[in-house]
Amino acid sequence: MKENRILMQYFEWYLKPESKLWNKVAINAKYLSAIGITDIWLPPAYKGAGGKYDVGYSAYDLYDLGEFYQKGTIGTKYGTKEEYLNAIKELHANNIKVYADIVLNHKIGADESETVYASEEQQNNRNVDTSLPKKITAWTVYNFKGRNNKYSDFKWNYSHFNGTDWDESGRKNGIFRFSGKHWDQNVDKENGNFDYLMGADIDFNNPEVVEEINKWGKWYIETTNVDAFRLDAVKHIKSGFMADFIHNMRKIKPIDCVAEYWNRDLKTLENYITKTNSSIPLFDVPLHYNLYQASTSNGNYDMARIFDYTLVKDMPSLAVTFVDNHDTEPGQALFSWVQEWFKPLAYALILLRKEGLPCVFYGDFYGVPAHNIKPMGEKLEKIIKARKYFAYGDQIDYFNHHDVIAWVRTGDNEHIDSGMVVILSDGPGGSKMMNVGKKLANTVFYDYTGNVQETVYVDQDGNGIFYCNGGSVSIWVKKENIYS
Ligand code: CA
């Protein structure tokens, strides 16, 4: 029986090493599978410059999955290689697909520095040099002595990078482009050219780099047996490289993927999808910002337009929808945290629709203690389960009011007692007369969330009047269903 997929991002920014994430996810695999999680995105598993305290995005050694004593530790923030592989095994044993977080744009935490000629670039227009080429001392030598050539004897030096942001001898911050190098052209156009993000920026025009990263990708899939990749920071990497990399990896295993292209402009995302031959779905950043704005508009957002200018509306099969992630949390660079009161509405909008692959955030599910954010717990679990049990069949929209919007899922024959009515409001409570179709005609419905206590009777023609409270969502399902 084909069930609805639900991806879960299984980490948040402020986790502590003591939480031993690999062991936690292994222990919880059975429970997560039971409530309806089918896919899990794990954080970067390799050694970062910050050792035990690195979230994973300051990638140092992609071959060190918590196996070698480097950066002051054997394990990463999340545990050892053995624990990582065990977690993947446990997730697989519970029919959950595993996404690995792949950070290819840059390296941080070099072993040695070297003298390089470089020109300084203007911060907000990286196409403009502000200096002639001059000698700088760049941190670009990576020899991974702690790993001692195991898995790969590739050594990185300045010739494998385009530039960096720190001149050691001049003790100077800036954006330094190495002489003879140019920024990749097929990247985001912000700041003139957004190839450079941080650390030592990898040069994807260097054939040695391309060969080594493809070799690593094959090693990663064969070592870990992951099913999918979450590709980090792709707007800073030339699109052609990413498309080729995914194409090559799919010769090894038919992996899924989703990429983080952080831009709220829909056309920019669609342009990337076109350039990568529709082979790389993207997170729906424009939808995240719609949800964020709705949550901060004091009930004055036009809910009928919540899906306007979103990827899930335009290219539903290439959209991964989400409410928040590790970068949008309080205190992070892309802070745009969807307000708590709106979270159940936002999750209903991603989890109970036909279109898109929804992604549930760890920080919503378990809370973010570092910022006093309480777990949604049961509230979110109910919406996840509602997707698993009821969100099947045709979808009929009632997006005809600026506060109260609703949709019907008619249910299908494959899933007993499936079908539902979702109604929500960012303003005062309200109701709508809706038709649930023939299959669910002449039935009593109740609110699966428990937000509304009364029941609703649907007549022989399938018509009923459904309610929700103010600033709230109700999920109406057949009263005596096999799951209750
Ligand atoms: Ca780059």
Side-chain angles (χ1 to χ4, degrees):
M1 188 159 70
K2 213 176 150 273
E3 270 174 5
N4 283 326
R5 284 173 68 193
I6 304 176
L7 173 63
M8 183 171 187
Q9 175 182 0
Y10 208 81
F11 65 103
E12 58 102 358
W13 192 269
Y14 303 102
L15 287 178
K16 298 204 161 63
E18 300 80 62
S19 63
K20 295 189 174 294
L21 194 75
W22 300 153
N23 291 345
K24 179 176 176 177
V25 72
I27 290 164
N28 284 299
K30 194 175 177 186
Y31 156 74
L32 293 165
S33 175
I35 65 171
I37 303 296
T38 59
D39 297 69
I40 282 192
W41 154 24
L42 296 175
Y46 24 79
K47 195 70 53 76
K52 224 177 166 50
Y53 298 95
D54 205 302
V55 176
Y57 296 103
S58 301
Y60 165 67
D61 183 0
L62 301 188
Y63 288 100
D64 183 359
L65 307 179
E67 182 180 5
F68 305 99
Y69 188 81
Q70 300 191 106
K71 300 296 167 196
T73 174
I74 291 176
T76 68
K77 187 182 190 182
Y78 311 110
T80 63
K81 178 186 182 186
E82 210 179 318
E83 289 165 337
Y84 180 56
L85 298 182
N86 176 60
I88 294 167
K89 229 180 267 169
E90 279 299 313
L91 290 165
H92 283 166
N94 287 282
N95 292 317
I96 295 176
K97 282 188 177 184
V98 181
Y99 282 59
D101 202 321
I102 304 294
V103 184
L104 299 180
N105 177 66
H106 51 265
K107 293 184 97 58
I108 296 183
D111 299 305
E112 290 164 32
S113 60
E114 58 192 329
T115 303
V116 188
Y117 279 90
S119 305
E120 225 180 313
E121 309 278 72
Q122 198 176 300
Q123 280 286 356
N124 53 13
N125 186 354
R126 282 91 181 272
N127 295 317
V128 176
D129 293 354
T130 58
S131 81
L132 291 169
K134 57 183 179 186
K135 265 191 203 173
I136 68 161
T137 304
W139 287 96
T140 40
V141 178
Y142 290 79
N143 45 35
F144 315 113
K145 284 213 177 77
R147 177 158 53 79
N148 196 22
N149 299 324
K150 198 169 175 187
Y151 308 129
S152 169
D153 59 4
F154 191 85
K155 306 283 188 290
W156 297 73
N157 62 55
Y158 75 93
S159 72
H160 303 116
F161 301 104
N162 282 330
T164 189
D165 61 354
W166 178 249
D167 170 16
E168 185 65 41
S169 49
R171 308 293 299 168
K172 191 175 189 296
N173 240 156
I175 295 174
F176 301 97
R177 180 179 53 80
F178 298 155
S179 295
K181 298 291 184 132
H182 59 81
W183 303 123
D184 287 338
Q185 288 312 299
N186 284 316
V187 293
D188 199 74
K189 299 285 175 265
E190 202 181 325
N191 299 317
N193 175 303
F194 217 175
D195 185 356
Y196 189 81
L197 172 65
M198 60 167 89
D201 186 70
I202 292 179
D203 177 9
F204 293 97
N205 290 312
N206 183 326
E208 288 176 14
V209 165
V210 174
E211 193 192 330
E212 170 63 9
I213 290 181
N214 278 285
K215 185 184 150 190
W216 170 79
K218 184 172 187 287
W219 172 85
Y220 199 94
I221 290 173
E222 288 169 353
T223 302
T224 64
N225 199 22
V226 293
D227 311 279
F229 287 157
R230 178 267 181 190
L231 304 164
D232 182 60
V234 297
K235 75 173 172 181
H236 309 285
I237 298 173
K238 71 170 185 176
S239 52
F241 169 81
M242 230 55 252
D244 289 348
F245 177 72
I246 287 301
H247 178 77
N248 293 336
M249 294 305 110
R250 284 179 174 156
K251 288 184 211 156
I252 301 160
K253 185 175 178 176
I255 55 156
D256 284 331
C257 69
V258 55
E260 176 221 19
Y261 193 113
W262 198 268
N263 196 314
R264 60 203 293 178
D265 177 52
L266 179 61
K267 290 289 157 238
T268 303
L269 301 191
E270 293 182 344
N271 186 31
Y272 186 81
I273 285 175
T274 305
K275 278 205 272 187
T276 49
N277 312 313
S278 300
S279 64
I280 305 178
L282 298 179
F283 284 107
D284 196 343
V285 176
L287 176 64
H288 160 75
Y289 279 109
N290 284 3
L291 298 172
Y292 172 64
Q293 276 187 342
S295 81
T296 53
S297 296
N298 298 314
N300 295 317
Y301 195 86
D302 183 357
M303 290 302 287
R305 306 188 60 182
I306 193 75
F307 287 113
D308 281 11
Y309 308 107
T310 62
L311 194 58
V312 74
K313 188 171 188 182
D314 260 31
M315 295 185 168
S317 63
L318 288 155
V320 176
T321 52
F322 68 101
V323 176
D324 271 308
N325 69 23
H326 60 292
D327 285 325
T328 66
E329 289 184 63
Q332 288 311 306
L334 306 171
F335 170 64
S336 46
W337 186 249
V338 174
Q339 299 293 294
E340 254 90 315
W341 73 273
F342 195 78
K343 280 265 153 87
L345 287 72
Y347 274 106
L349 285 161
I350 68 164
L351 284 166
L352 306 179
R353 306 279 301 168
K354 216 173 186 170
E355 299 83 15
L357 169 61
C359 182
V360 172
F361 181 44
Y362 182 104
D364 289 324
F365 197 81
Y366 294 107
V368 181
H371 283 270
N372 236 337
I373 292 164
K374 304 249 176 327
M376 285 179 72
E378 175 96 342
K379 261 190 193 165
L380 182 48
E381 194 177 305
K382 278 255 163 170
I383 308 173
I384 292 169
K385 283 180 176 167
R387 177 174 177 84
K388 179 184 164 84
Y389 299 144
F390 308 112
Y392 299 96
D394 294 340
Q395 180 170 287
I396 304 152
D397 285 342
Y398 292 81
F399 283 38
N400 50 11
H401 188 266
H402 59 277
D403 289 331
V404 186
I405 58 167
W407 63 95
V408 172
R409 300 295 301 270
T410 59
D412 65 13
N413 295 325
E414 242 191 300
H415 303 85
I416 303 166
D417 293 340
S418 65
M420 66 188 345
V421 173
V422 183
I423 180 165
L424 55 89
S425 172
D426 76 327
S431 66
K432 278 185 205 295
M433 157 89 91
M434 286 179 268
N435 189 288
V436 299
K438 285 275 173 285
K439 214 189 305 292
L440 290 165
N442 201 19
T443 316
V444 176
F445 278 62
Y446 82 112
D447 182 0
Y448 190 61
T449 67
N451 290 334
V452 174
Q453 295 303 318
E454 293 84 359
T455 55
V456 167
Y457 173 67
V458 171
D459 69 19
Q460 283 113 311
D461 300 320
N463 293 316
I465 298 171
F466 296 89
Y467 305 85
C468 69
N469 297 328
S472 177
V473 57
S474 288
I475 302 168
W476 296 90
V477 300
K478 200 177 144 187
K479 193 166 181 215
E480 266 121 36
N481 65 71
I482 57 162
Y483 313 105
S484 58

